[in-house]
Amino acid sequence: MTIRLLIVDDDPLVRAGLTFMLGGAEDIEIVGEAADGHGVGQLALELRPDVVLMDIRMPRVDGLTATETLRARPDAPEVIVLTTFHADEQVLRALRAGAAGFVLKDTPPAEIVAAVRRVALGDPVLSPAVMRQLMTQVSGGAAAPGDRAARARERVALLADREREVAVAVGRGHSNAEISARLHLSVPTVKTHVSRVLAKLGLNNRVQIALLVHDAGLLDGPDGDVG
């Protein structure tokens, strides 16, 4: 399939570089560009991109606000956050809003192309190792504010026991294969549980599962304890 891509960045040189880099891929079509988050919602309606590559820090309307607006729609395109920081509060907020992951601006071209392809297929672009780093560096093990923690616990309570175990394992950054070994399940069964967790909780991807179980305080135990 051809992946329709919208590039949003306030630096014209960055946009030109990304267009040159990504436009060379046979399966990626650059359908539009924008200099900030203002009007991105309307552009997305008109151009129907599959993926939006979104800078966070931009004038007028930043990428964070634009991501939250886009991902609130039922037919939302996938969003990859483009940033100069490995992990900060703005990246975390974008991931909570439903961004499928983030790439650094100095990421090698081939990896950015691969990230766009993965997101177009519905896979987040945070590896288990990066997810663990994000949960450690950004969340820092600190408890979520009381109201958010309470809401998270209420949502997690909707899960069956095995689904909860799988959700906690996802939150700890384990891959499907690792969860399979830890919980003595087949990989297809793990995938089924992950899909059920996403559907029950109204989430978009594994990153949001990780953030939710963190907010619910389910990652406080030792790494081997997923129950």
Side-chain angles (χ1 to χ4, degrees):
M1 73 173 187
T2 299
I3 302 167
R4 298 174 59 82
L5 179 68
L6 174 63
I7 297 174
V8 186
D9 195 292
D10 65 315
D11 187 333
L13 292 179
V14 171
R15 293 200 307 274
L18 289 170
T19 298
F20 176 78
M21 175 198 316
L22 294 161
E26 293 183 355
D27 57 340
I28 296 176
E29 177 187 0
I30 311 297
V31 296
E33 300 178 13
D36 67 27
H38 179 72
V40 167
Q42 185 59 37
L43 268 180
L45 285 175
E46 294 173 1
L47 302 175
R48 310 294 294 177
D50 301 302
V51 179
V52 178
L53 191 56
M54 181 90 72
D55 187 18
I56 282 189
R57 292 167 176 83
M58 296 182 291
R60 292 209 295 172
V61 178
D62 62 24
L64 184 56
T65 301
T67 296
E68 291 174 333
T69 300
L70 281 178
R71 292 301 302 170
R73 296 177 176 177
D75 57 347
E78 298 292 346
V79 175
I80 302 175
V81 170
L82 190 64
T83 180
T84 55
F85 297 88
H86 281 275
D88 66 9
E89 286 299 328
Q90 287 188 308
V91 170
L92 180 63
R93 187 172 151 195
L95 295 173
R96 289 189 189 281
F102 66 92
V103 295
L104 300 179
K105 289 193 174 183
D106 60 357
T107 298
E111 293 184 20
I112 295 182
V113 171
V116 170
R117 288 171 174 158
R118 285 187 59 188
V119 165
L121 293 173
D123 296 327
V125 293
L126 287 182
S127 68
V130 173
M131 190 181 296
R132 282 192 287 266
Q133 178 189 24
L134 181 75
M135 300 302 289
T136 299
Q137 291 187 358
V138 180
S139 300
D147 56 342
R148 196 168 76 209
R151 289 196 301 270
R153 287 193 293 269
E154 288 177 1
R155 295 176 71 187
V156 170
L158 299 173
L159 301 177
D161 289 344
R162 184 60 89 184
E163 292 166 348
R164 178 177 174 274
E165 290 177 332
V166 170
V168 171
V170 168
R172 291 204 165 106
H174 297 313
S175 66
N176 286 344
E178 290 170 333
I179 297 172
S180 170
R182 286 169 179 269
L183 297 183
H184 308 291
L185 301 170
S186 69
V187 171
T189 299
V190 172
K191 291 181 179 179
T192 297
H193 282 308
V194 171
S195 296
R196 287 175 179 168
V197 170
L198 292 170
K200 280 189 176 182
L201 301 183
L203 302 176
N204 295 297
N205 52 50
R206 296 169 73 95
V207 179
Q208 288 190 317
I209 294 176
L211 294 171
L212 184 67
V213 296
H214 168 267
D215 290 348
L218 298 181
L219 303 182
D220 299 336
D223 185 64
D225 176 16
V226 296

